[in-house]
Amino acid sequence: MIYILEKIVVRGGVRLSGEVTVSGAKNAAVAIIPAAILVDGECIIENVPDIRDVQVIVEILEHLGAKVEFVDRHTLKIDSSKVDKQTAPYEMVRKMRASYYLLGALLGRFKKADVALPGGCNFGLRPIDQHLKGFSALGSENTVESGIVRVSAEKLEGASIYLDVVSVGATINIMLVATLAHGTTIIENVAKEPHIVDVANFLNSMGANIKGAGTDVIKINGVERLKGGFYSIIPDQIEAGTFMVAAAATGGDVLVKNVIPKHMESVSAKLEEIGAEVIEYDDSIRVIGNGNLKKVNIKTLPYPGFPTDMQPQIVTLLSICKGTSIVTEGVWESRFQYVGELLRLGANIRVDSQTATVNGVEKLKGAPVTATDLRGGAGMVIAGLIAEGETEISDIKHIDRGYEKMEEKFRQLGADIRRVTCPE
Ligand code: UD1
């Protein structure tokens, strides 16, 4: 395989203006595509984002024996009737965290699965004990050996499960297994992220019986089979938030289209508190920045709290806001790796365990930086947009995992940003 090294080069100082359209939600897509393994028929899935993580999960489904076809760039046709493997090798799953959904989908359909422990962004420990606890309650025996998770069940029987930690992945994975299990499953203390509701809506539209997604308790009445059908994925809340923050940070005026404003409430509220103007329409949000942005304190929390996946972007904005902001990471053990890169651009941020103290500076100055992870990379792009001079971002494979044509979308808003191929 030939690796082409690419970088994103941004020349800062342009006030973003115009309109941008948000793609389908990455975190919904990477769950709904494996969920199609449970469907006995053809699913057509629309509004699929054109991102690397989707390509990876599609390759894994094909490896398992599913027939997957891109009807167009954003529409997938999946037929899982010929899936005949229940093993996903490390080489494939290491590329994305969400490959753990293969466990739930394969266990639900075939009552067994062997999947290597997943890769993805490194935010410290990323355990899957709550997923496994749910699987056990439904009748699965689980072992983890040499980096492989093996699950198998004679029979899957509905159960009551209380999650000790509010986990997006565990909530969805248990839902996947319970969909075709015998009897009723009740999961309490579940996560409420918009993409959990989206996965439940997808499964229901294929014939599942899931109630309560989006609240603290989800009830699943197992059904015999799921039939095929059509589904359209919700817009990406984090991509929308990234453009909203970039608009505020550059003192711009941007209409972010194809959003569900309700999903954006915690981000909109913080941007208003910082001093930007946020105007909500039915399915779009306009953000107008100004030169007088001020500090706020933020703690990231499960939805409807402020999303941890927006933490690097908002910290980047706060690095040039007047005053000292305190940002506390409330979801992941370690998610401030990107801060070192912001320091190269002249930010004044101190990190102490789960808390970043951000002392606003007058301006950032362009420099070479690295995208340490997906959302950290988004933070670097925003930093480049506000910094004086040129910022060169390397390791952009992280950005491509989750953002569709990010630099093209920013260019439409007037940004001086381009992708370059490196000589090596
Ligand atoms: C998902 C998102 C990710 C986001 C995160 C939190 C996808 C593909 N990824 O990740 O972008 O940052 O939600 O909004 O949707 N935990 C346990 N045991 C478990 C599972 C999780 O202790 O079995 C802990 C984790 O260490 C973490 C917290 O629970 O501290 C939240 O993790 P979780 O919601 O599961 O995150 P993901 O689903 O992996």
Side-chain angles (χ1 to χ4, degrees):
M1 185 185 267
I2 301 169
Y3 290 99
I4 301 169
L5 277 182
E6 291 180 322
K7 291 183 180 175
I8 287 179
V9 181
V10 196
R11 186 161 274 282
V14 175
R15 291 179 170 203
L16 299 181
S17 74
E19 297 181 356
V20 64
T21 302
V22 171
S23 300
K26 161 191 168 283
N27 285 348
V30 297
I32 287 174
I33 295 168
I37 292 175
L38 294 169
V39 181
D40 185 13
E42 205 172 74
C43 316
I44 310 270
I45 307 167
E46 294 174 326
N47 205 30
V48 177
D50 183 8
I51 54 174
R52 183 73 192 132
D53 268 8
V54 162
Q55 289 162 11
V56 170
I57 194 77
V58 162
E59 279 166 25
I60 299 178
L61 250 70
E62 286 176 328
H63 163 85
L64 296 173
K67 207 172 145 214
V68 189
E69 188 190 326
F70 277 94
V71 178
D72 60 43
R73 201 152 65 84
H74 296 118
T75 308
L76 267 182
K77 186 155 64 167
I78 305 179
D79 178 353
S80 298
S81 57
K82 300 257 162 45
V83 169
D84 57 357
K85 288 194 198 76
Q86 292 87 40
T87 303
Y90 177 69
E91 260 322 295
M92 300 188 115
V93 307
R94 74 182 176 87
K95 296 177 188 154
M96 66 181 298
R97 177 78 194 154
S99 45
Y100 52 44
Y101 292 132
L102 296 164
L103 282 171
L106 291 168
L107 179 62
R109 169 136 177 231
F110 299 103
K111 302 202 175 52
K112 62 174 184 176
D114 282 10
V115 179
L117 278 169
C121 292
N122 179 15
F123 309 141
L125 279 181
R126 297 188 74 167
I128 59 163
D129 56 299
Q130 297 302 306
H131 304 230
L132 298 181
K133 169 180 157 171
F135 296 169
S136 300
L138 294 167
S140 166
E141 298 227 346
N142 315 318
T143 56
V144 184
E145 237 178 283
S146 313
I148 312 269
V149 188
R150 287 205 167 86
V151 293
S152 70
E154 296 251 311
K155 202 166 153 212
L156 293 166
E157 195 77 53
S160 286
I161 298 151
Y162 185 92
L163 296 182
D164 304 321
V165 183
V166 176
S167 157
V168 171
T171 303
I172 293 179
N173 237 343
I174 298 168
M175 222 160 65
L176 295 180
V177 182
T179 291
L180 298 178
H182 182 256
T184 301
T185 298
I186 293 176
I187 326 171
E188 290 180 83
N189 197 31
V190 294
K192 296 179 277 205
E193 267 66 4
H195 52 285
I196 291 173
V197 181
D198 210 34
V199 177
N201 286 343
F202 164 77
L203 292 167
N204 283 340
S205 72
M206 303 290 148
N209 183 347
I210 302 172
K211 296 197 177 82
T215 74
D216 293 311
V217 183
I218 296 181
K219 184 174 169 190
I220 303 137
N221 288 311
V223 295
E224 290 266 307
R225 68 178 276 263
L226 300 184
K227 56 180 175 23
F230 283 89
Y231 193 73
S232 185
I233 290 176
I234 52 165
D236 197 301
Q237 175 206 12
I238 306 301
E239 189 196 1
T242 302
F243 287 116
M244 289 167 67
V245 169
T250 60
D253 180 350
V254 173
L255 184 69
V256 186
K257 289 167 48 173
N258 189 34
V259 301
I260 298 175
K262 172 109 189 87
H263 295 169
M264 305 311 305
E265 274 172 359
S266 60
V267 175
S268 297
K270 279 299 163 191
L271 285 177
E272 283 180 327
E273 206 181 318
I274 288 171
E277 196 180 337
V278 180
I279 308 163
E280 283 184 10
Y281 303 99
D282 285 348
D283 58 1
S284 57
I285 295 186
R286 181 173 169 199
V287 177
I288 307 168
N290 64 56
N292 197 17
L293 302 177
K294 57 182 188 304
K295 63 125 192 155
V296 295
N297 296 336
I298 296 180
K299 179 167 185 182
T300 67
L301 289 167
Y303 187 83
F306 190 91
T308 172
D309 289 355
M310 283 299 302
Q311 189 250 90
Q313 302 89 315
I314 204 90
V315 164
T316 303
L317 164 59
L318 291 174
S319 75
I320 53 150
C321 289
K322 222 187 180 118
T324 300
S325 304
I326 309 290
V327 178
T328 309
E329 174 55 45
V331 176
W332 294 111
E333 186 183 56
S334 126
R335 199 173 188 169
F336 287 116
Q337 298 94 320
Y338 68 91
V339 167
E341 303 302 304
L342 280 183
L343 299 184
R344 290 176 199 273
L345 302 175
N348 179 354
I349 304 172
R350 211 182 55 243
V351 175
D352 185 6
S353 158
Q354 301 292 87
T355 304
T357 305
V358 188
N359 294 301
V361 295
E362 287 267 307
K363 60 179 180 212
L364 300 182
K365 271 198 167 171
V369 290
T370 299
T372 52
D373 57 82
L374 168 57
R375 307 303 172 184
M380 288 312 118
V381 173
I382 296 174
L385 292 168
I386 52 186
E388 210 174 78
E390 201 164 86
T391 299
E392 199 181 87
I393 306 159
S394 44
D395 253 352
I396 61 170
K397 61 175 189 290
H398 292 294
I399 297 176
D400 292 335
R401 275 190 42 224
Y403 286 91
E404 177 172 333
K405 302 204 181 314
M406 188 198 236
E407 74 282 4
E408 271 182 37
K409 290 190 184 187
F410 274 120
R411 216 163 30 236
Q412 275 167 29
L413 297 173
D416 183 346
I417 180 168
R418 62 190 199 280
R419 180 179 291 252
V420 298
T421 304
C422 305
E424 59 274 52

